[in-house]
Amino acid sequence: MSTAVFEFLLPPPPAGWDANKESKVHKKIAQCLSRPVEPAGHAFMSRARRHVHNRTLEEDILIEEALRDAAGEDVSLEEDEPESAKLLKSDPANWKTQDHYAVLGLSKLRYAATDEDIKRAYRRKVLKHHPDKKAVNAATGKRDDQFFKCIQKANEVLSDNKKRREWDSCDPEFDDTIPSAKAKGDFFEIYAPVFASEARFSKKKPVVLLGTMDSTREEVDAFYNFWWGFESWRTFEMMDEEDVDSVEGREEKRYIDRKNRAARSKLKKEDNARLNRLVDQAYALDPRMKKFKEADKAAKEAKKRERELASKAGEIEAAKAKLAADKAKREQIKNAIRKEKKAIKRLLRDNNNFLPADASPDATIVQVERAEFILEKSELEHLESFRARLDEAFPAGVDALMLVFDEEHMATEEREADRKAAEAAAATGQAVPAAQESKVVKPKWSTKEISILIKAVKLFPGGASARWEKIAEYVNEHGNAEGETAEAKAARTRTPKECILESKSLQNAAASERTRLQMAATKPVAKVEITETPSTRDEPLPGEVAAASRPATAAAASRPASAPAAAAAAAAPSMPAPPNPNWSADQQLALEQALRKFPASAFTSAPADRWVKIAGEIPGKTTKDIKNRVKELADFVKNKKKK
């Protein structure tokens, strides 16, 4: 019990108060009494406790709550881990260097401790080391609560996931050294604990562990692939040399923060490099990899032996199959050659060996010998090309067939000459000289040269010996222009091959162009004026009405018109035709020549193509115009016959 004395002082009177004036007493002051006063209540006890232990209000609330929780739970101090004398002397100011797991009695579990383990350990320590249960220090007169503050800090760090990761990243008990590559002992006993310890920092769960000697190749590959791509959550905030919260200036805080971040980044890179070295070293020393390599080598050698045996066993079969395939291919080529020769011979037979009807027996013999030379000295590809070109030239007439024949004969002679030169060079051991193409640019064919070429083709008909050599000689001799120099003549000299190509070009030219060149090749005659009405001949239109009015043999139907007949038809006067203002004399002449050039017998499978080709020979006329004109001509001939 204590005694309190209260002194009451009256306030000073107002400034306008006058003591001489009359005053009025309302009530008298009661006499002071003496009463006993005692401290009591939770607030008083809390205040007294804070004063005794030198705590803040927040610290006192947390400690008391922890004490109540510990007292309310079934906490057994027998499970508690005893503290060393050094640990009990820990300074709470150096909390970054203290072992928080040891402070809470979790030094055996450490990073493996669960949140429930940390909670129960904290309650045990609070129940055991609460300041109220400590004796008063005689020197200071206060109870020692330094270790209890360490307990509080340890609980604060380990109860927060972020702070706990920061602490676990720099756990002083974590050994980050890499085993020596020369360390002796069992590989798995050395490296399995190392990888198990590193696994705590993995972001990916579950972590693939080292395994055993009996692990499969897939398991081993999965292990090393996992650790080569290891993603660590380890951070190094606890290694900061300076605390940002310890300074007040904004710029200084930013400077310290940048400095700390740079130091953490450097430590992170060093830690990743250390882990990569660990994985590489383990891979190089892993006895399973050596076992796998030896197994791969043995399997490779076994496959090699199997291939060798299979190769030896299959060589005979392959050789037999190759011989059979080669024989079949040769037979196929022989059959194809036989087929092509038969087709070419049929064309020669049906078309009088591509000679005019009045060809001499000697010319026929020479033509047959040349044909036999082509068929005997040509390969399959040459025969196929020759036959295709003959089929393409067939609708154009005998002259076009003869041009293709002469061109192929000349090409066959060149190939045979090259073959003999190669055989001679091989016999003497010399290299075959490469064929060099002439780079001399010759002038284009003049009108006179073309006229002389047309004359020469008529002068030396098909079947003549050395026909195109004679034609070339004739063109070179008579195709010169007036006042031509020797140099110009030498530059203009035409070869047999050039004459053949120009003849083919003329053969493919339009009917009107050919007529102009043929007329230019004939001598000019005096103009004769006819005053009488010309007579008409009852003659059917070639290729149209004639085929319907008189029978024809199969050979004559399949044989195109000869060159002399075509030339005579071109030079002959126009056939009788009804007058038509839409058709000029040149167009009528071109129509007659086109009908002879493209007979109906050559277009039995596609008659419409014939009219398209005829329209291409007559400028300014369509297929419809041509069909109408032919019908008009046919009606005209029929009417003449009836009369």
Side-chain angles (χ1 to χ4, degrees):
M1 181 180 294
S2 61
T3 303
V5 178
F6 299 97
E7 295 182 356
F8 296 96
L9 297 177
L10 295 175
W17 182 76
D18 187 1
N20 298 321
K21 290 183 177 182
E22 182 180 357
S23 59
K24 185 178 180 179
V25 178
H26 295 279
K27 195 173 182 179
K28 293 182 180 181
I29 299 174
Q31 185 178 359
C32 293
L33 301 176
S34 176
R35 294 284 188 270
V37 178
E38 272 186 43
H42 296 291
F44 176 81
M45 297 301 296
S46 175
R47 174 68 182 83
R49 190 170 55 250
R50 292 198 302 272
H51 177 73
V52 171
H53 297 298
N54 193 23
R55 302 175 189 164
T56 64
L57 178 61
E58 183 179 1
E59 290 176 345
D60 186 69
I61 292 173
L62 293 175
I63 292 173
E64 291 303 313
E65 286 181 355
L67 184 61
R68 286 195 298 272
D69 292 341
E73 294 284 341
D74 185 14
V75 178
S76 175
L77 295 179
E78 295 179 358
E79 301 176 1
D80 185 47
E81 183 179 299
E83 305 88 358
S84 63
K86 183 179 179 181
L87 184 63
L88 291 174
K89 295 180 181 180
S90 298
D91 186 359
N94 299 328
W95 63 272
K96 282 190 176 183
T97 60
Q98 78 177 16
D99 188 347
H100 296 311
Y101 287 113
V103 170
L104 293 182
L106 299 172
S107 57
K108 294 181 181 180
L109 294 177
R110 306 196 71 80
Y111 69 91
T114 63
D115 293 341
E116 185 64 25
D117 293 335
I118 294 172
K119 189 175 182 180
R120 291 178 63 83
Y122 175 63
R123 289 171 178 172
R124 284 196 299 269
K125 292 299 182 181
V126 168
L127 195 62
K128 182 178 179 181
H129 296 282
H130 194 277
D132 290 346
K133 298 184 179 183
K134 298 288 185 180
V136 177
N137 191 326
T140 60
K142 296 181 179 180
R143 292 181 175 85
D144 186 10
D145 62 350
Q146 295 297 309
F147 187 68
F148 188 77
K149 291 181 179 180
C150 292
I151 295 172
Q152 285 182 289
K153 192 63 180 179
N155 180 65
E156 177 188 345
V157 171
L158 298 182
S159 297
D160 186 282
N161 290 332
K162 182 177 180 298
K163 292 181 179 180
R164 184 181 180 185
R165 279 200 168 189
E166 293 175 359
W167 165 254
D168 287 341
S169 297
C170 305
D171 189 345
E173 295 297 321
F174 172 67
D175 185 8
D176 60 357
T177 58
I178 300 176
S180 173
K182 299 180 180 180
K184 297 182 179 180
D186 183 72
F187 172 81
F188 299 97
E189 292 180 357
I190 295 174
Y191 286 91
V194 176
F195 282 103
S197 178
E198 293 284 351
R200 71 180 74 176
F201 303 119
S202 176
K203 290 182 179 179
K204 296 180 181 179
K205 300 293 182 181
V207 178
V208 183
L209 298 180
L210 185 60
T212 63
M213 192 65 187
D214 298 329
S215 299
T216 63
R217 179 189 290 269
E218 290 74 15
E219 293 173 343
V220 176
D221 290 341
F223 169 77
Y224 285 108
N225 290 334
F226 178 87
W227 284 94
W228 271 318
F230 188 80
E231 296 182 17
S232 174
W233 51 257
R234 192 177 185 189
T235 57
F236 296 92
E237 286 83 356
M238 299 296 293
M239 302 294 291
D240 292 346
E241 295 181 0
E242 298 184 54
D243 189 2
V244 178
D245 297 332
S246 63
V247 295
E248 296 182 359
R250 182 184 300 175
E251 295 298 327
E252 189 176 0
K253 282 187 176 183
R254 290 178 179 176
Y255 169 75
I256 293 174
D257 184 59
R258 288 195 300 269
K259 185 178 178 181
N260 290 339
R261 287 178 181 274
R264 294 172 203 160
S265 178
K266 182 180 179 181
L267 292 172
K268 183 70 174 179
K269 291 179 180 178
E270 292 176 354
D271 186 65
N272 291 337
R274 176 192 64 83
L275 187 60
N276 289 335
R277 289 196 304 272
L278 171 64
V279 179
D280 293 341
Q281 180 175 307
Y283 183 82
L285 299 176
D286 197 332
R288 297 172 297 185
M289 301 308 301
K290 183 178 180 180
K291 180 181 70 172
F292 295 150
K293 289 179 180 178
E294 291 176 352
D296 292 342
K297 184 178 180 181
K300 187 176 180 180
E301 291 179 353
K303 288 183 178 179
K304 183 179 179 181
R305 288 193 297 270
E306 290 178 2
R307 286 196 301 269
E308 290 176 353
L309 293 175
S311 176
K312 290 179 180 179
E315 282 179 0
I316 298 175
E317 295 297 329
K320 290 181 179 180
K322 187 176 183 302
L323 290 174
D326 292 343
K327 183 178 179 181
K329 188 175 181 180
R330 286 194 300 270
E331 289 296 328
Q332 185 180 2
I333 293 174
K334 285 182 180 180
N335 293 335
I337 291 175
R338 192 179 299 112
K339 180 180 178 181
E340 295 297 333
K341 286 183 178 181
K342 187 176 180 181
I344 294 171
K345 287 180 179 179
R346 185 186 302 109
L347 280 172
L348 287 166
R349 183 184 68 246
D350 294 345
N351 296 281
N352 196 28
N353 294 313
F354 307 151
L355 297 174
D358 57 350
S360 64
D362 293 338
T364 303
I365 293 173
V366 172
Q367 187 76 342
V368 171
E369 290 177 351
R370 296 172 72 198
E372 290 296 333
F373 175 77
I374 294 174
L375 298 178
E376 181 182 354
K377 301 299 182 181
S378 298
E379 300 293 338
L380 176 61
E381 55 182 306
H382 303 135
L383 293 174
E384 289 177 343
S385 175
F386 181 34
R387 194 259 308 158
R389 286 183 284 123
L390 287 176
D391 291 341
E392 184 179 355
F394 180 79
V398 173
D399 289 343
L401 291 172
M402 192 63 195
L403 283 174
V404 174
F405 182 88
D406 291 337
E407 183 183 15
E408 184 64 25
H409 183 265
M410 188 174 295
T412 305
E413 287 181 335
E414 291 178 357
R415 291 196 300 269
E416 186 65 14
D418 293 341
R419 185 185 63 80
K420 290 181 179 180
E423 290 179 354
T428 57
Q430 298 178 356
V432 180
Q436 296 182 354
E437 296 182 359
S438 176
K439 296 183 181 180
V440 179
V441 179
K442 292 187 177 182
K444 294 182 179 180
W445 285 71
S446 64
T447 305
K448 185 175 182 180
E449 283 183 303
I450 295 174
S451 300
I452 297 299
L453 175 62
I454 295 173
K455 290 181 180 179
V457 170
K458 296 177 181 178
L459 185 61
F460 304 103
S465 178
R467 180 195 183 197
W468 289 101
E469 286 77 2
K470 294 177 181 179
I471 292 174
E473 183 179 356
Y474 189 86
V475 171
N476 294 330
E477 184 66 24
H478 301 283
N480 59 315
E482 294 183 3
E484 185 180 39
T485 62
E487 292 78 4
K489 183 177 181 180
R492 184 185 54 79
T493 302
R494 305 298 180 182
T495 63
K497 189 172 183 179
E498 290 176 330
C499 293
I500 291 177
L501 294 176
E502 186 63 24
S503 297
K504 290 181 67 177
S505 177
L506 292 174
Q507 189 70 34
N508 296 329
S512 58
E513 180 66 15
R514 288 201 308 274
T515 302
R516 185 184 65 80
L517 295 173
Q518 289 171 352
M519 295 300 294
T522 60
K523 293 181 179 180
V525 296
K527 182 177 181 182
V528 179
E529 184 175 356
I530 301 175
T531 58
E532 297 180 358
T533 304
S535 61
T536 58
R537 295 185 299 171
D538 296 336
E539 183 177 344
L541 182 65
E544 292 293 330
V545 182
S549 62
R550 69 174 186 271
T553 61
S558 62
R559 184 184 307 121
S562 62
S574 175
M575 65 179 293
N580 191 330
N582 296 327
W583 282 78
S584 64
D586 290 340
Q587 289 175 332
Q588 179 65 28
L589 181 60
L591 173 62
E592 295 175 15
Q593 292 178 347
L595 289 171
R596 296 188 185 97
K597 181 178 179 181
F598 303 108
S601 60
F603 296 91
T604 56
S605 60
D609 295 344
R610 182 193 180 207
W611 299 108
V612 175
K613 289 185 177 292
I614 292 175
E617 300 288 328
I618 306 172
K621 295 299 179 181
T622 63
T623 56
K624 184 177 180 181
D625 297 336
I626 294 169
K627 288 181 180 180
N628 292 335
R629 183 58 175 168
V630 170
K631 183 178 180 182
E632 184 180 3
L633 293 173
D635 294 340
F636 179 75
V637 172
K638 289 180 181 179
N639 294 333
K640 291 287 292 182
K641 282 188 175 182
K642 290 179 181 179
K643 294 179 180 179

